């Protein structure tokens, strides 16, 4: 373990020298942070991760902000148990959205099973760094529908301004339509409330972005506690799919890390660079919760396909918004 750490430090030092330029370094922060959601608000990059620990200790979120992707500032306890009366354990996978000057933080709580209280909740604040207050005092989605555990939500704004939420663990993914005030979900034009959009291989951690008019749907596969966790994707013409699996773009690398997954994507419209924000397990560690948050650049083939991501120790270069 110590030898691996030393090797990582030496590799980081050598690559920093070779680049002759300061980079962020991976991981971007000290400590165990998983399921990072990277999001751009104005001229600032934000990362909202899960505090990776035993479920009973997961009772708060920290977040991180940066103006250039290299220097990160930690914002502690942007929400904790005192603000969510129904939270017992497993506060997971935050997703942040700005709407009409307010910041909404969606989260999973309680690792909910049938008959229990828990699932996806939503909190609100005046600033990206909180403090966040529970918006409903109860879960927004508590029930298990189409076999999807209500966790790992991602709130997506479509081209026409409609907000949808993708969510789901246990190998199933649903899409729902959000009410304007984010206090409930509303029916689709055909009257249904939940549509299953699960692609082949899907396990959890859905993410969506639009590039050149196409819908890029991404998700995690494998078991998050093991080395084979990974990220795959599909490209579609609509937010509802169909999502035909194109392949894996992030996975373990014996030279760098294992268990790489539960990611998000940030785009700098000025430089037109795309960044994948993800967690991975340091080499030599097999502890379930030893997951750290990293950023690497994501590249595309001329036909729009996502190229396999090269995980690095040096991380990304400065890129101001
Ligand atoms: O961090 C808790 C859980 O681990 C997440 O909800 C899953 O996606 C997995 O990353």
């Amino acid at each position: 373990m110590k030898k691996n750490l030393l090797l990582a430090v030496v590799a980081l030092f050598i690559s920093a020298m070779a680049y002759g330029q300061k980079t962020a370094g991976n991981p971007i922060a000290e400590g165990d942070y998983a399921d990072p959601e990277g999001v751009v608000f104005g001229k600032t990059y934000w990362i909202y991760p899960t505090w990776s620990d035993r479920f009973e200790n997961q009772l708060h979120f920290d977040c991180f902000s940066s103006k250039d992707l290299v220097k990160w500032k930690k914002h502690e306890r942007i929400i904790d148990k005192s603000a969510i009366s129904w939270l017992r354990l497993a506060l997971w996978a935050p997703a942040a959205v700005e709407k009409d000057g307010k910041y909404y933080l969606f989260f999973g709580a309680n690792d909910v099973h049938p008959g229990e209280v828990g699932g996806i909740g939503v909190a609100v604040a005046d600033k990206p760094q909180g403090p966040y207050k529970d918006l409903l005092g109860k879960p927004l989605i508590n029930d298990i529908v189409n076999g999807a555990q209500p966790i790992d939500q991602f709130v997506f704004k479509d081209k026409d301004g409609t907000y949808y939420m993708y969510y789901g663990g246990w190998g199933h993914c649903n899409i729902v339509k959000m009410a304007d005030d984010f206090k409930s979900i509303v029916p689709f034009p055909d009257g249904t409330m939940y549509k299953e959009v699960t692609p082949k291989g899907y396990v959890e951690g859905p993410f969506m972005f639009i590039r050149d008019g196409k819908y890029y749907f991404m998700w995690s596969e494998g078991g998050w506690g093991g080395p084979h966790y990974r990220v795959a994707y599909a490209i579609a013409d609509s937010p509802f799919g169909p999502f035909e699996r194109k392949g894996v773009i992030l996975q373990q690398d014996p030279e760098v890390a294992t268990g790489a997954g539960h990611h998000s994507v940030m785009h700098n419209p000025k430089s037109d660079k795309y960044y994948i924000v993800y967690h991975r397990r340091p080499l030599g560690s097999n502890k379930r919760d030893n997951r750290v948050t990293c950023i690497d650049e994501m590249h595309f083939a001329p036909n729009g396909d996502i190229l396999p991501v090269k995980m690095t120790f040096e991380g990304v270069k400065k890129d101001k918004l």
Side-chain angles (χ1 to χ4, degrees):
M1 173 68 190
K2 268 190 182 151
K3 194 176 149 220
N4 279 323
L5 190 67
L6 187 68
L7 279 175
V9 171
V10 171
L12 179 59
F13 180 73
I14 292 171
S15 36
M17 297 289 286
Y19 270 64
Q21 157 170 14
K22 203 170 172 335
T23 57
N26 275 327
I28 58 115
E30 264 181 46
D32 289 340
Y33 289 102
D35 317 325
E37 166 132 328
V39 53
V40 168
F41 291 139
K43 296 246 169 260
T44 310
Y45 300 95
W46 291 85
I47 293 180
Y48 298 84
T50 298
W51 170 246
S52 190
D53 203 339
R54 296 167 65 91
F55 293 2
E56 60 272 27
N57 296 338
Q58 293 182 299
L59 299 172
H60 79 284
F61 287 141
D62 300 327
C63 77
F64 300 87
S65 66
S66 174
K67 292 280 182 203
D68 61 6
L69 280 185
V70 168
K71 249 174 63 193
W72 287 92
K73 179 177 174 187
K74 180 172 173 177
H75 306 268
E76 289 189 35
R77 302 191 87 83
I78 60 170
I79 190 167
D80 67 18
K81 188 171 163 38
S82 64
I84 311 168
S85 60
W86 50 280
L87 170 66
R88 290 185 296 108
L89 45 81
L91 186 59
W92 285 351
V97 179
E98 188 271 333
K99 185 173 187 286
D100 304 329
K102 296 267 186 208
Y103 296 86
Y104 295 86
L105 194 67
F106 294 82
F107 55 86
N110 298 349
D111 182 27
V112 73
H113 286 71
E116 297 173 356
V117 173
I120 295 169
V122 53
V124 65
D126 294 325
K127 296 186 195 146
Q129 67 271 36
Y132 285 90
K133 300 241 173 315
D134 190 3
L135 187 62
L136 301 173
K138 60 178 184 180
L140 171 70
I141 299 180
N142 192 150
D143 294 340
I144 286 123
V145 179
N146 299 328
Q149 187 186 33
I151 59 163
D152 288 4
Q153 68 300 314
F154 174 66
V155 177
F156 167 69
K157 187 180 184 182
D158 199 4
K159 295 171 190 167
D160 65 359
T162 308
Y163 286 89
Y164 298 107
M165 182 198 284
Y166 298 95
Y167 77 89
W170 296 346
H172 293 272
C173 183
N174 290 335
I175 182 172
V176 293
K177 189 175 169 189
M178 301 301 300
D180 221 35
D181 57 7
F182 287 166
K183 287 187 173 171
S184 61
I185 59 172
V186 294
F188 291 108
D190 66 3
T192 57
M193 298 292 279
Y194 299 82
K195 288 185 188 296
E196 182 163 7
V197 290
T198 312
K200 196 160 174 248
Y202 175 96
V203 172
E204 58 195 12
F207 189 86
M208 170 67 91
F209 67 96
I210 297 174
R211 182 175 182 266
D212 291 343
K214 295 277 185 198
Y215 291 85
Y216 286 72
F217 188 62
M218 309 177 82
W219 62 89
S220 292
E221 301 182 346
W224 63 266
H228 305 291
Y229 204 46
R230 57 191 180 270
V231 171
Y233 81 110
I235 301 178
D237 293 322
S238 132
F240 301 100
F243 299 126
E244 211 159 293
R245 186 179 186 276
K246 285 189 83 88
V248 169
I249 54 104
L250 180 73
Q251 61 188 316
Q252 64 179 322
D253 176 340
E255 303 294 315
V256 184
T258 65
H262 199 133
H263 77 300
S264 52
V265 174
M266 296 194 295
H267 177 229
N268 180 342
K270 224 162 97 186
S271 64
D272 200 24
K273 288 189 174 189
Y274 286 80
Y275 298 98
I276 184 161
V277 190
Y278 62 97
H279 73 238
R280 68 193 195 196
R281 189 167 290 105
L283 284 182
S285 169
N286 56 12
K287 288 195 196 123
R288 184 194 69 176
D289 300 316
N290 189 195
R291 300 176 293 173
V292 296
T293 284
C294 300
I295 309 179
D296 279 301
E297 200 174 336
M298 205 169 79
H299 297 279
F300 296 83
N303 70 354
D305 286 359
I306 305 177
L307 295 174
V309 172
K310 171 83 192 105
M311 291 195 289
T312 67
F313 289 111
E314 64 266 21
V316 292
K317 294 180 194 162
K318 258 189 195 173
D319 189 15
K320 289 197 175 175
L321 287 157

